[in-house]
Amino acid sequence: MISSSPLGSDKRRYVVETAYALFKRDGFHATGIDRIIAEAEVAKMTMYRHFPSKDDLIVQVLDYRARRFDRQLDRLAEEAVTPEQKIATIFDWYERWFRSADFHGCLFAHALAEFGNPEHPVFKAVAGQKNGLRRRMQSILEDIMPPDRAASTAAALLMLIEGATLMAEMGQADTAICDARKAAFSIIAAPSAMTAP
Amino acid sequence: MISSSPLGSDKRRYVVETAYALFKRDGFHATGIDRIIAEAEVAKMTMYRHFPSKDDLIVQVLDYRARRFDRQLDRLAEEAVTPEQKIATIFDWYERWFRSADFHGCLFAHALAEFGNPEHPVFKAVAGQKNGLRRRMQSILEDIMPPDRAASTAAALLMLIEGATLMAEMGQADTAICDARKAAFSIIAAPSAMTAP
DNA sequence: TAGTGAATAGACAGACCTGTCTCACTGCTT
DNA sequence: AAGCAGTGAGACAGGTCTGTCTATTCACTA
């Protein structure tokens, strides 16, 4: 067998991609090991050789997904010129995702729902992904506003995106992404530092 | 036994409240019937007499929670005068919730994560609750802006709230509610109809 | 006092869960 | 040719899951 690399054999990749599809569609607790290995056409011991436990597999799946997400956003950001355009490409990515055939909501949000213990590795993987996106937007925004306002705005944009993903999951993808985009640029273009009454 | 009402005996209430606490803390699939009846100190047949299945119990728990949420928001809205104040009381409610000792995120969002099939009764219960909150904010906003902009703004506020709940779940409750509030009033006070570049 | 309806504890069925283990096979490398 | 790492198929253990059923007890009512 021609193994592509010691850390990433073909079988391992099959398992991760199959588990990703099943976790996404049916959830983590509801997806059994037996179904994963059956659909991946892999022996049980092969899976357990690569992943010590189901929890470990879940973390690896989340990491796989997070890395792909980051790569795609990196590539989109290269095409954009202004900071506003860079933010817009992020919303573009979400719009395409919402419209994709097998959209089932955010795997990380789902993982958080099923693994709410902050000490659990899955929880930490989720927090890492969400904070990564927030930092990405924050560093973009720091080119057009002071750092403290960039931090607040990035947090607000992340909340809008997460909420839009939830609404898209409930079948309101079109209005969700449209209203989120409008709200985002309303926040960014706010005349002064935002203040609540 | 002095039953309070034909539709709501004490035992039934025990089961719903216990199941609510367990579902909130551990999730739906991860919480077994046996644990619910043990903590509620109720026989298994008693539970199955009131709820034909676990799925049915989950729906009843969600309804119970949604009704309590609506009652609390109704009472808060009575104390507010202006539409802006009414919106602010909703954010106040969320702020107190985020800071409460046993906050574990939104039970409805968690239910959506575990029951993603739009035909499932649990899915419909979640959609009902979220759309209810959106309509509540929309009708408040219609007093200070045209109907189409009220609809967009209500959707944006819902997304902010859902995103803030997610961030609070990840231990960032303070910045989440603060930034969400600022963003919300920035959107509401936007000088004109929002437009994206 | 007899009857009725609800609740109880717990056994039980049948399925599914994670994780371990054995044994046979395959294809590459030395 | 021999060895070896990786893999396949599946039995197996020990536990948990939902949902059903029985036999019994208790409180209240006619």
Side-chain angles (χ1 to χ4, degrees), chain A residues 53-99:
Chain A
S53 69
K54 185 184 180 182
D55 282 6
D56 187 85
L57 171 61
I58 294 173
V59 171
Q60 298 302 318
V61 167
L62 292 175
D63 282 353
Y64 160 80
R65 187 64 176 80
R67 273 197 295 269
R68 206 179 67 175
F69 175 75
D70 279 334
R71 273 200 311 273
Q72 291 176 344
L73 284 200
D74 284 344
R75 207 172 49 217
L76 281 175
E78 285 173 13
E79 299 167 7
V81 178
T82 68
E84 286 86 352
Q85 282 172 349
K86 286 192 167 97
I87 295 291
T89 63
I90 296 177
F91 282 83
D92 292 342
W93 186 93
Y94 275 89
E95 180 167 9
R96 261 204 305 277
W97 182 41
F98 291 171
R99 296 192 204 280

Side-chain angles (χ1 to χ4, degrees), chain B residues 75-91:
Chain B
R75 207 173 47 217
L76 281 174
E78 284 173 14
E79 299 166 7
V81 179
T82 68
E84 285 85 351
Q85 282 172 349
K86 286 191 167 96
I87 294 291
T89 63
I90 296 176
F91 282 82

Side-chain angles (χ1 to χ4, degrees), chain A residues 47-194:
Chain A
M47 198 222 92
Y48 273 102
R49 188 168 6 255
H50 287 293
F51 310 97
S53 69
K54 185 184 180 182
D55 282 6
D56 187 85
L57 171 61
I58 294 173
V59 171
Q60 298 302 318
V61 167
L62 292 175
D63 282 353
Y64 160 80
R65 187 64 176 80
R67 273 197 295 269
R68 206 179 67 175
F69 175 75
D70 279 334
R71 273 200 311 273
Q72 291 176 344
L73 284 200
D74 284 344
R75 207 172 49 217
L76 281 175
E78 285 173 13
E79 299 167 7
V81 178
T82 68
E84 286 86 352
Q85 282 172 349
K86 286 192 167 97
I87 295 291
T89 63
I90 296 177
F91 282 83
D92 292 342
W93 186 93
Y94 275 89
E95 180 167 9
R96 261 204 305 277
W97 182 41
F98 291 171
R99 296 192 204 280
S100 68
D102 58 346
F103 172 76
H104 287 92
C106 174
L107 194 71
F108 296 90
H110 292 184
L112 198 65
E114 295 202 50
F115 300 88
N117 176 7
E119 304 304 317
H120 198 287
V122 169
F123 185 102
K124 292 175 183 170
V126 172
Q129 198 266 347
K130 295 302 172 205
N131 283 325
L133 177 56
R134 187 171 51 75
R135 277 198 306 270
R136 175 189 291 269
M137 294 192 291
Q138 186 171 343
S139 76
I140 293 171
L141 291 168
E142 277 169 355
D143 286 349
I144 51 174
M145 55 180 71
D148 58 337
R149 200 178 149 224
S152 282
T153 307
L157 296 194
L158 178 61
M159 294 186 230
L160 280 173
I161 286 172
E162 296 304 324
T165 305
L166 207 83
M167 289 185 67
E169 211 172 336
M170 296 189 304
Q172 307 175 32
D174 290 352
T175 57
I177 192 65
C178 173
D179 292 335
R181 209 189 287 266
K182 285 193 287 191
F185 284 94
S186 166
I187 295 167
I188 293 174
S192 66
M194 302 177 291

Side-chain angles (χ1 to χ4, degrees), chain B residues 31-68:
Chain B
T31 301
I33 295 287
D34 286 343
R35 190 133 114 263
I36 295 171
I37 62 169
E39 296 223 2
E41 292 177 313
V42 150
K44 189 177 265 193
M45 276 315 292
T46 305
M47 198 221 92
Y48 274 101
R49 190 171 356 261
H50 286 294
F51 311 96
S53 70
K54 185 184 179 183
D55 282 6
D56 188 85
L57 171 61
I58 294 173
V59 171
Q60 298 302 319
V61 167
L62 292 176
D63 282 353
Y64 159 80
R65 187 63 175 81
R67 273 197 295 269
R68 205 179 67 174

Side-chain angles (χ1 to χ4, degrees), chain B residues 104-181:
Chain B
H104 287 92
C106 174
L107 193 72
F108 296 90
H110 292 184
L112 197 64
E114 296 201 50
F115 300 88
N117 175 8
E119 304 304 316
H120 198 287
V122 168
F123 184 102
K124 292 176 183 170
V126 172
Q129 198 265 346
K130 295 302 173 205
N131 283 325
L133 176 55
R134 188 171 50 75
R135 277 198 306 270
R136 175 189 291 270
M137 293 192 291
Q138 187 171 341
S139 76
I140 293 171
L141 291 168
E142 276 169 355
D143 286 348
I144 51 173
M145 54 180 71
D148 57 338
R149 199 175 150 225
S152 281
T153 306
L157 296 194
L158 178 61
M159 294 185 230
L160 280 172
I161 285 172
E162 296 303 325
T165 306
L166 207 83
M167 289 185 65
E169 211 172 335
M170 297 190 302
Q172 305 175 33
D174 290 352
T175 58
I177 192 65
C178 173
D179 292 336
R181 207 189 287 265

